[in-house]
Amino acid sequence: MNISELFTSKTEARDILKDRYNLPKRSKVLIALSFTDSDITNFLLPWLEVLPVNFIIFGKWISTIQAKNITYIDSKENFDMMWVDAIFWNCEDIILEKKMRLWVVPIMNQKNYLWKILSEFQPARWEGNAYLYEDNSPWSAYYALIRYIENHNFPYDNRNLVKNVVWM
């Protein structure tokens, strides 16, 4: 499967997920979010509501807000990450390499177990394969998310990022 076919199939599957979870169809981006520290998730929730992106948030012990672009799922074990564009995680309970092979962009803390392999994406140089943030800093995490969303608005840069993720 080439990259064009993959993006087409991701778009179709993403639309199915949007229907299933009653997410807005207008947003082109679907991001899975999970932090083991529920304080970070709770801090980020009001800020996620205003972004032009759909979120699937995993976790049982988080407070919820009613937002059109956010849905909540208790367990991530049976969820197919193939159809999300990015994972916004703290990298404590995930095998990241498997998700990256599924063409999913990581938005991770800098102190993850793949710190020697992951590097900040630089669109001008076509280098890097992730968006990184400082550990335990919700502001830095939010800034990394914003950088990813801005990059996604440029299809050529986004294709380079996804290619770099897979070539890891």
Side-chain angles (χ1 to χ4, degrees):
M1 177 180 301
N2 67 27
I3 194 163
S4 297
E5 292 170 347
L6 178 86
F7 279 126
T8 301
S9 64
K10 267 197 172 210
T11 300
E12 293 168 0
R14 189 173 40 243
D15 290 341
I16 292 169
L17 284 175
K18 288 177 192 177
D19 284 340
R20 182 182 310 156
Y21 296 114
N22 295 321
L23 294 168
K25 296 186 183 359
R26 189 166 203 184
S27 175
K28 294 181 181 179
V29 183
L30 182 62
I31 298 176
L33 181 144
S34 179
F35 290 94
T36 52
D37 183 358
S38 62
D39 291 337
I40 293 176
T41 305
N42 292 332
F43 176 85
L44 291 172
L45 278 176
W47 302 101
L48 301 177
E49 179 181 18
V50 299
L51 296 175
V53 175
N54 290 321
F55 293 95
I56 296 176
I57 300 178
F58 299 100
K60 293 179 183 178
W61 313 113
I62 56 174
S63 61
T64 60
I65 61 171
Q66 296 301 319
K68 293 179 185 176
N69 65 331
I70 298 174
T71 191
Y72 302 92
I73 300 176
D74 289 341
S75 176
K76 56 188 160 271
E77 278 72 38
N78 296 325
F79 187 82
D80 187 8
M81 294 287 181
M82 172 78 175
W83 310 118
V84 298
D85 296 299
I87 50 175
F88 190 24
W89 231 267
N90 63 349
C91 207
E92 290 189 15
D93 58 351
I94 189 171
I95 300 173
L96 188 56
E97 308 89 282
K98 289 183 180 180
K99 306 308 180 216
M100 292 175 73
R101 282 189 216 120
L102 299 174
W103 304 70
V104 177
V105 176
I107 306 171
M108 297 285 152
N109 59 338
Q110 292 173 338
K111 295 183 179 180
N112 62 64
Y113 70 96
L114 290 177
W115 65 273
K116 288 185 178 181
I117 297 171
L118 295 181
S119 62
E120 183 76 22
F121 181 66
Q122 303 293 328
R125 291 189 235 141
W126 304 341
E127 297 174 350
N129 54 7
Y131 283 92
L132 303 173
Y133 61 88
E134 296 172 20
D135 197 26
N136 295 322
S137 171
W139 288 110
S140 179
Y142 190 72
Y143 180 53
L145 175 64
I146 297 301
R147 291 192 312 269
Y148 170 74
I149 293 169
E150 287 177 354
N151 181 72
H152 199 278
N153 291 331
F154 299 96
Y156 185 73
D157 289 341
N158 190 53
R159 282 179 182 261
N160 285 328
L161 171 60
V162 172
K163 285 179 187 177
N164 292 351
V165 166
V166 173
W167 289 342
M168 180 205 77

